[in-house]
Amino acid sequence: MQHKILAFIGAGNMSRSIIAGLVQAGYPADRILAANPSRPKLDALASEFGIRITQDNTEAARAADVIVLAVKPQLMAGMLSALVVELGSLEGKLLISIAAGIKVARLQEMAGGHGRIIRTMPNTPSLLGLGMTGLYAPAGISQEDRDFAEQMMQSVGKTLWTPEESGINGVIAAAGSAPAYFFLFMQAIAEEAEAMGFSPEQARLLVQQTALGAAAMVEQNPQLSLQTLREQVTSKGGTTAEAVKTFQEQGLMPLTARAMQAAVTRAAEMETLF
């Protein structure tokens, strides 16, 4: 990975996760900057990772080869327009957005027509280095820029490119929002385990270890389909078969499809807000 000067505008949890992943992977800390209005998060980043910090977005952007747009979506337009005014233009700089709900065309407008932009959509397990990030780059973005964005996000997990920008909304439904689906299902199992007489701590242990083990079985058996893995633990006439039959009769699969489509619909609506 090329060690370009990298500036994070915004010092929230996702910025911290990416910075941590980069530094742990050997990226030079002195080539990473973070800008944020308040000091506490910046001081923590400097103390923990040895990166450069500033409360001045323009200072960070001026020095950078690559700018990571990590502010809240509602703050993006004001932040980018201020950079354009103060710097004159963003020419020569790659912008990588990790903000939800803002399409590349809109980011280009906010950035004064600057076209060198890549959009990414990481999820919250990135905080543990176990993220899943979708990426989209419009036509004309160089392979070098694509490689840099991909390698940056691989510092916190796995990556997947979408050929069309609409695919980012699919990533949101299947990965960005999906940790909450699993948490909800885990909550349902844990609550029923408590109803069966287990303590809250015991119920959580049962659920979290089983979920961890199931995910590991999926990862370590790429040659097996999810259906095959499920069938391997579903003995005919057994307890698992009865539970799975109940899920199927109650419409788990179509319900999941409707929920994911609802996420896609809402993601598309959000793209009109900024």
Side-chain angles (χ1 to χ4, degrees):
M1 183 179 188
Q2 293 186 29
H3 294 158
K4 302 184 179 187
I5 299 176
L6 179 59
F8 289 79
I9 309 298
N13 286 336
M14 196 58 69
S15 290
R16 184 190 180 284
S17 299
I18 298 170
I19 291 167
L22 288 169
V23 172
Q24 289 166 9
Y27 203 98
D30 63 0
R31 297 186 72 80
I32 301 175
L33 297 90
N36 200 62
S38 58
R39 292 287 306 191
K41 290 181 179 179
L42 292 177
D43 290 338
L45 289 172
S47 174
E48 189 167 356
F49 304 113
I51 67 167
R52 297 153 59 190
I53 59 174
T54 177
Q55 291 176 270
D56 186 339
N57 291 343
T58 304
E59 179 184 346
R62 180 177 288 113
D65 301 311
V66 180
I67 302 171
V68 180
L69 308 177
V71 301
K72 293 179 179 179
Q74 59 269 31
L75 302 178
M76 189 69 74
M79 182 273 289
L80 281 173
S81 63
L83 288 185
V84 171
V85 168
E86 294 181 41
L87 296 179
S89 80
L90 297 171
E91 184 177 356
K93 301 180 187 297
L94 170 63
L95 308 186
I96 300 176
S97 172
I98 63 172
I102 310 179
K103 298 181 75 171
V104 167
R106 179 64 181 129
L107 288 168
Q108 290 172 341
E109 291 177 5
M110 294 176 179
H114 185 74
R116 197 177 163 199
I117 299 175
I118 293 176
R119 186 179 173 194
T120 75
M121 179 49 56
N123 65 4
T124 54
S126 298
L127 302 176
L128 304 177
L130 295 170
M132 182 68 235
T133 299
L135 302 97
Y136 167 76
I141 298 297
S142 71
Q143 190 61 48
E144 179 182 319
D145 285 347
R146 290 170 181 265
D147 289 346
F148 185 90
E150 180 175 45
Q151 291 164 8
M152 184 184 82
M153 298 314 300
Q154 284 175 344
S155 72
V156 292
K158 306 291 187 181
T159 58
L160 176 70
W161 285 94
T162 63
E164 304 293 336
E165 188 168 13
S166 59
I168 288 292
N169 291 342
V171 170
I172 290 172
S177 298
Y181 316 159
F182 292 108
F183 296 151
L184 180 62
F185 192 46
M186 292 169 72
Q187 177 187 347
I189 298 172
E191 288 181 356
E192 185 57 25
E194 288 182 45
M196 293 176 178
F198 293 101
S199 70
E201 294 76 19
Q202 290 172 328
R204 181 173 179 127
L205 175 62
L206 287 168
V207 172
Q208 72 184 33
Q209 187 62 22
T210 302
L212 181 65
M217 289 184 70
V218 171
E219 183 179 45
Q220 294 176 26
N221 293 278
Q223 76 283 7
L224 299 178
S225 69
L226 296 176
Q227 178 177 334
T228 298
L229 286 167
R230 190 258 301 166
E231 289 172 346
Q232 287 181 345
V233 294
T234 310
S235 301
K236 187 175 181 179
T239 58
T240 307
E242 284 302 305
V244 170
K245 178 182 176 183
T246 302
F247 284 130
Q248 292 174 332
E249 289 178 345
Q250 295 299 314
L252 177 63
M253 303 296 271
L255 176 61
T256 301
R258 291 197 298 273
M260 292 178 67
Q261 287 301 321
V264 169
T265 298
R266 180 54 182 159
E269 291 172 350
M270 290 176 65
E271 288 177 340
T272 68
L273 300 179
F274 307 106

